[in-house]
């Protein structure tokens, strides 16, 4: 009964370093999403995918990249980390069909120093 | 992109009190979702409202969708410490696969 699994849960990076945030879901959902959540700012969409091999930009894609080689996995890549990318990152998935709810992971808390 | 305004931004009350939080926009929604996010976790869907004037109940939580489908409210009766969390409303942008979230109402229920 795993749902959406995100790793790592916490990470501290130095400015300029790179890393990949992992996201996996075992519900066979076609749609997957990456959000960042800053204090008092709600959830902002970074990238999303409607199926394997298909990705698209959200509201705040700069500084990030994604890939979707399988239905299950949707990793988020940070290149040249900057302090402005300090945030909590959430991955979500949902099945097809209008109005279906998104299922969220527990987040990755990332600090860039 | 339609703007979702949630109010109040913060709310701190004592156990047993009643409260209402709001989600408003100037535009019409085809549907609206409410999520609750507990500290250290991801948001979890509470309810989806679709029809103007619709009222849905989930134990002590009552959700209402405005007649014109531009606003929604969440009323909690006899709040408990377990209700503490961030309450987010969200809509599906143009019927697309993307959700747009409000900034949320952070509720603290003190024992």
């Amino acid at each position: 009964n795993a749902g959406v699994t995100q790793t790592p849960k916490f990470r501290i990076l130095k400015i300029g370093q790179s890393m990949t945030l992992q996201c996996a879901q075992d519900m066979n959902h076609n749609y997957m999403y990456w959000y960042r959540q800053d204090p008092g700012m709600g959830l902002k969409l970074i990238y999303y995918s409607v199926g394997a091999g298909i990705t698209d930009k959200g509201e705040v894609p700069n500084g990030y990249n994604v890939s979707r080689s399988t239905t299950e996995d949707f990793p988020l890549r940070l290149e040249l980390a900057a302090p402005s990318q300090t945030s909590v990152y959430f991955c979500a998935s949902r099945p097809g069909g209008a109005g279906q709810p998104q299922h969220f992971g527990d987040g990755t808390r990332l600090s860039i120093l | 992109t339609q703007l979702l305004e949630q109010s109040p931004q913060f709310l701190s009350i004592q156990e047993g009190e009643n409260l209402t939080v709001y989600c408003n926009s100037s535009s019409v929604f085809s549907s609206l979702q409410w999520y609750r996010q507990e500290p250290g976790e991801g948001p979890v869907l509470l309810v989806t409202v679709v029809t103007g004037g619709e009222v849905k109940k989930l134990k002590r939580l009552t959700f209402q969708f405005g007649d014109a489908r531009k606003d929604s409210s969440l009323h909690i009766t006899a709040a408990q410490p377990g209700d503490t969390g961030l309450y987010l409303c969200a809509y599906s942008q143009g019927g697309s696969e993307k959700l747009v979230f409000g900034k949320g109402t952070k509720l603290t229920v003190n024992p």
Side-chain angles (χ1 to χ4, degrees):
Chain A
N1 197 24
V4 178
T5 302
Q6 292 186 238
T7 56
K9 292 189 183 302
F10 304 93
R11 185 73 184 267
I12 298 175
L13 284 182
K14 294 182 179 179
I15 295 171
Q17 287 185 322
S18 300
M19 78 163 292
T20 299
L21 281 65
Q22 302 291 345
C23 175
Q25 52 94 7
D26 61 359
M27 299 172 282
N28 201 34
H29 289 168
N30 284 329
Y31 297 85
M32 295 189 75
Y33 305 83
W34 274 107
Y35 295 91
R36 59 177 289 171
Q37 186 176 36
D38 301 323
M41 296 302 293
L43 290 158
K44 296 288 182 70
L45 182 65
I46 304 171
Y47 270 95
Y48 67 102
S49 169
V50 300
I54 306 170
T55 63
D56 208 347
K57 295 177 180 180
E59 185 180 357
V60 289
N62 292 341
Y64 307 94
N65 278 299
V66 293
S67 60
R68 184 95 182 271
S69 57
T70 66
T71 298
E72 294 78 18
D73 300 298
F74 190 39
L76 177 72
R77 178 82 177 162
L78 276 72
E79 304 282 1
L80 297 175
S84 62
Q85 293 177 304
T86 293
S87 189
V88 182
Y89 291 84
F90 287 98
C91 178
S93 73
R94 74 168 181 88
Q100 291 292 326
Q102 294 191 6
H103 300 258
F104 286 81
D106 284 339
T108 294
R109 284 144 187 82
L110 180 63
S111 295
I112 313 235
L113 305 175
Chain B
T1 300
Q2 298 165 284
L3 189 63
L4 278 175
E5 298 282 351
Q6 289 194 247
S7 61
Q9 187 176 359
F10 300 98
L11 188 57
S12 181
I13 62 171
Q14 294 301 120
E15 182 175 1
E17 293 183 4
N18 301 330
L19 66 113
T20 303
V21 298
Y22 301 91
C23 176
N24 297 296
S25 174
S26 58
S27 303
V28 175
F29 301 115
S30 57
S31 66
L32 201 75
Q33 297 180 354
W34 282 93
Y35 289 79
R36 179 170 65 206
Q37 183 179 17
E38 298 185 13
E41 299 183 6
V44 175
L45 181 74
L46 294 172
V47 77
T48 300
V49 287
V50 178
T51 306
E54 182 177 7
V55 176
K56 283 191 172 179
K57 292 192 174 183
L58 189 66
K59 297 183 179 178
R60 293 175 295 99
L61 278 61
T62 301
F63 302 85
Q64 185 161 6
F65 202 15
D67 290 340
R69 291 186 289 128
K70 292 182 178 182
D71 56 86
S72 182
S73 63
L74 160 58
H75 181 78
I76 302 179
T77 303
Q80 299 177 1
D83 296 325
T84 292
L86 180 67
Y87 288 81
L88 296 158
C89 63
Y91 74 94
S92 177
Q93 187 178 10
S96 76
E97 52 278 345
K98 295 184 288 186
L99 275 182
V100 177
F101 285 85
K103 293 183 179 181
T105 292
K106 187 172 183 180
L107 172 65
T108 301
V109 182
N110 301 298

